[in-house]
Amino acid sequence: LKMDPEYAKPARPEAAKHERGLLRAMAVKAIQKLGGRAICPEIVECCRSDPEVQQEFGSRLNWDMSKVRGTKRALPLWEATLQTNLG
């Protein structure tokens, strides 16, 4: 079975996991900043671009590149995980 290399996940360290509850807490904060209701792309964009969210969580996020299953686009691991879990 051959796989198109463009769809393969980039190599990353084995211990590349977020601390338990970190992404959930960040998503909750983003939803609160967005007025209590939001769809996945809005939450991810807020997490990515809001200075307050990034100040609180940015240094603890895993920025190694990954891919969402079935896509060619590389994203930071935290963003790929958030999209997968919220989507």
Side-chain angles (χ1 to χ4, degrees), residues 3 18 33 38 47 49 55 61 72-73:
M3 177 187 214
H18 292 96
K33 291 184 77 64
C47 291
S49 62
Q55 182 178 358
L61 297 175
K72 294 181 180 181
R73 192 168 139 233

Side-chain angles (χ1 to χ4, degrees), residues 4-63:
D4 185 338
E6 290 188 44
Y7 289 94
K9 287 189 176 190
R12 66 175 194 260
E14 278 298 314
K17 288 192 174 195
H18 292 96
E19 64 185 73
R20 188 171 189 85
L22 177 69
L23 295 179
R24 182 181 190 284
M26 182 173 66
V28 167
K29 180 156 189 135
I31 292 167
Q32 289 170 345
K33 291 184 77 64
L34 294 166
R37 292 179 60 118
I39 59 174
C40 181
E42 294 170 333
I43 297 167
V44 171
E45 179 57 33
C46 182
C47 291
R48 184 187 311 124
S49 62
D50 187 273
E52 189 178 324
V53 173
Q54 280 299 310
Q55 182 178 358
E56 184 175 342
F57 298 98
S59 64
R60 296 183 288 159
L61 297 175
N62 187 326
W63 292 88

